[in-house]
Amino acid sequence: AVMGVRAWEILETPELDYFNVVTNELTKYPNIDVVVMTFGGNDILRGTKGVDPNNYDSEVRLSTCYSQPVRAGAWSSTNECIQLMAAALENQIGQIVDHILSVRPDIRVAILSYDYGAREPDAGYTIEDQHLAFLQVEMAKRNIALARDRVEYVNNFGLMQYLYGIPEAVPPIAPGVVPPP
């Protein structure tokens, strides 16, 4: 586990040595039968590379889609920016899944949704906008599972809100009161 890491960092940061670590662990422990992956909030709130077709290295955040709703040659609307972000993540996470499957074709991969991710909004977007963007990313992760054997997408979006309520809400929302995921 690498907490807080973004998908592009796994692909591009030699210090993480992620692929070698995964290869070594899956080879060393043949009894591992499921790799569990959780990606999401960090990737869109802190910045995803590969979104801007004119500048791969530009880290586009969710706030970028709202603060720059039109970027010449890159996207024409906020929604297109979010769709491009989801597509970039689908590509990046797909590469990681493909590596795991190439090491151990017998293994299963579970891609989990990213739960309880909303933060206080900034740059002109609302919590609802934030959750809709998260759902775009979740659909991209689901596409990864649908396109590959032995890969499952597990949607637990909203589970923590249901179990623990939303104490920060005004008025606070008790556990079990919000709709189940």
Side-chain angles (χ1 to χ4, degrees), residues 16-47:
L16 288 177
D17 200 24
Y18 188 82
F19 287 133
N20 282 331
V21 169
V22 168
T23 299
N24 292 339
E25 294 296 307
L26 293 177
T27 304
K28 184 176 177 181
Y29 299 103
N31 60 334
I32 294 173
D33 62 349
V34 178
V35 174
V36 177
M37 301 171 61
T38 304
F39 286 99
N42 292 330
D43 291 290
I44 66 173
L45 295 176
R46 289 181 43 225

Side-chain angles (χ1 to χ4, degrees), residues 52-54 68-76:
D52 184 340
N54 298 321
Q68 301 173 29
V70 176
R71 187 182 274 187
W75 57 80
S76 59

Side-chain angles (χ1 to χ4, degrees), residues 38-180:
T38 304
F39 286 99
N42 292 330
D43 291 290
I44 66 173
L45 295 176
R46 289 181 43 225
T48 304
K49 290 174 72 171
V51 177
D52 184 340
N54 298 321
N55 182 1
Y56 174 87
D57 291 320
S58 173
E59 291 181 40
V60 177
R61 301 169 180 243
L62 178 59
S63 59
T64 308
C65 297
Y66 286 87
S67 63
Q68 301 173 29
V70 176
R71 187 182 274 187
W75 57 80
S76 59
S77 68
T78 297
N79 191 49
E80 186 180 9
C81 175
I82 294 168
Q83 288 174 355
L84 289 168
M85 186 176 290
L89 283 167
E90 184 175 339
N91 175 278
Q92 294 163 6
I93 296 168
Q95 289 179 57
I96 297 166
V97 170
D98 289 343
H99 175 77
I100 292 166
L101 294 173
S102 75
V103 174
R104 289 269 309 278
D106 63 318
I107 203 135
R108 293 176 293 154
V109 177
I111 304 173
L112 276 60
S113 61
Y114 195 87
D115 193 32
Y116 220 75
R119 299 179 180 179
E120 286 298 318
D122 62 8
Y125 61 85
T126 66
I127 288 179
E128 181 180 5
D129 294 329
Q130 194 175 128
H131 278 271
L132 290 173
F134 286 165
L135 290 175
Q136 285 274 356
V137 171
E138 295 307 317
M139 289 188 291
K141 294 189 310 191
R142 182 175 172 263
N143 289 342
I144 295 167
L146 290 174
R148 292 162 177 82
D149 291 333
R150 305 189 60 79
V151 180
E152 296 293 330
Y153 170 74
V154 181
N155 182 355
N156 59 350
F157 200 67
L159 182 61
M160 285 181 64
Q161 289 93 330
Y162 182 73
L163 289 176
Y164 299 107
I166 308 173
E168 299 83 15
V170 179
I173 299 173
V177 173
V178 294

